[in-house]
Amino acid sequence: MHRATRGGVRVLGHGDTPALERLLATDPVANVSVSATIRARRSAGPGKGRNGAVVLGIDGENGLLAACWTGSNIIPVGATPAQGELFGVAVGAMRRRVASIYGDAEAVLEIFDATGWTGARDVRAEQPLMAITQASGVQPLAGARLSRSGDFPRVEQASAAMFTEELGFSPYAQGAGQYRERVRGLINAGHSIIAVDPESSEIMFKAEFGAVSPEVVQVQGVWVRPSHRGRGLAGPGMAAVVERGLQLAPTVSLYVNSYNTAAIRTYERVGFTQVGTFATILF
């Protein structure tokens, strides 16, 4: 990697943690996924094991200029297109198997091009990054609440249905135990929100907080049961999600595919505004 980039990219160590935290703080909304992970790890240093995640860095005269989380997902932090290209060369030289590259659109697309990787399952080149900092003017969905441990079977079923619909394959294909642990962890952390149909007892709306920092909560997995679509649940459901999210951080964010115009209109009606553009490459 070092040779491939002629010394332009290095692996960060524990001593780089303060510098990485300062870089992450320059854009809390875009960087919330990496911020939450670094906060949990308490270090910018490499993870354990041969395939442990690492953070790559590019330095300038005044310290760390850009970084790139490199694990099962690749996530640039504060990278320009040119720096994204350098990270792509470095990641390509590492020959890792990854699930996705996502983050700032320009940097992500440069990383992908520079890796030389082929066979991407999907390239989502434009995803509005949206945020809200105050309660929605839409009335929150009545009955929306945090999931409880006893809800796990229904939450797992709804989450798997949403995942399959969104990505085109079952989440269990990547490890059933790992996926169930992820769903259970979201419930236990108080990061899973549901609304249950009082007649059928089925989950009719759900969403999760996929990444949480003191500054930002990022929403993921927004889903309305197909049999309940067209009933006006999405807007009130998202208003309830925002209400919960603002109890954890001053900003609630999400990103959405540009072609999902119905979802974008819903988020705008709730009060979200676009603050950036993401891209995601899925493998």
Side-chain angles (χ1 to χ4, degrees):
M1 177 199 72
H2 192 271
R3 181 180 300 175
T5 62
R6 298 182 179 180
V9 176
R10 67 182 178 90
V11 175
L12 300 189
H14 179 70
D16 295 302
T17 304
L20 178 59
E21 290 174 339
R22 288 192 294 272
L23 181 63
L24 291 166
T26 61
D27 192 342
V29 175
N31 298 330
V32 61
S33 293
V34 178
S35 293
T37 302
I38 294 300
R39 187 174 298 273
R41 287 163 51 116
R42 299 182 179 180
S43 177
K48 297 180 180 179
R50 181 179 179 182
N51 296 314
V54 299
V55 183
L56 305 180
I58 295 174
D59 296 314
E61 292 183 1
N62 297 317
L64 188 65
L65 292 179
C68 186
W69 173 265
T70 307
S72 58
N73 300 300
I74 308 298
I75 312 170
V77 176
T80 65
Q83 291 163 344
E85 182 179 4
L86 268 180
F87 284 134
V89 171
V91 169
M94 295 170 73
R95 299 184 178 180
R96 282 180 175 252
R97 295 187 63 182
V98 305
S100 72
I101 308 171
Y102 71 90
D104 175 78
E106 290 186 337
V108 163
L109 296 174
E110 289 293 341
I111 289 172
F112 177 50
D113 286 345
T115 61
W117 293 340
T118 59
R121 189 164 42 81
D122 197 3
V123 177
R124 301 179 178 185
E126 185 180 352
Q127 298 173 304
L129 175 65
M130 310 183 79
I132 185 171
T133 58
Q134 60 186 11
S136 173
V138 174
Q139 183 68 26
L141 181 62
R145 61 172 176 82
L146 295 178
S147 301
R148 298 185 281 264
S149 59
D151 296 316
F152 172 75
R154 291 183 295 181
V155 175
E156 180 195 2
Q157 182 185 53
S159 298
M162 180 271 165
F163 186 103
T164 303
E165 181 179 342
E166 172 71 14
L167 298 180
F169 65 95
S170 169
Y172 302 115
Q174 298 178 335
Q178 184 177 3
Y179 182 72
R180 293 190 179 105
E181 182 180 345
R182 169 67 172 163
V183 173
R184 199 181 301 276
L186 289 167
I187 294 173
N188 292 341
H191 294 168
S192 169
I193 298 172
I194 60 172
V196 177
D197 186 323
E199 295 183 2
S200 67
S201 296
E202 294 179 324
I203 291 176
M204 56 183 183
F205 172 88
K206 76 150 195 87
E208 296 96 39
F209 300 136
V212 178
S213 76
E215 297 79 27
V216 182
V217 169
Q218 187 177 83
V219 180
Q220 66 174 29
V222 179
W223 181 80
V224 176
R225 182 173 292 278
S227 60
H228 288 71
R229 292 173 188 172
R231 301 186 186 183
L233 295 178
M238 283 304 301
V241 170
V242 169
E243 185 177 63
R244 291 284 184 178
L246 291 175
Q247 296 173 15
L248 300 177
T251 300
V252 177
S253 73
L254 55 82
Y255 58 99
V256 57
N257 295 317
S258 60
Y259 55 77
N260 195 344
T261 54
I264 292 172
R265 285 197 298 268
T266 295
Y267 299 145
E268 290 175 339
R269 187 168 68 252
V270 170
F272 284 86
T273 58
Q274 185 170 352
V275 297
T277 303
F278 267 21
T280 299
I281 315 296
L282 297 168
F283 297 97

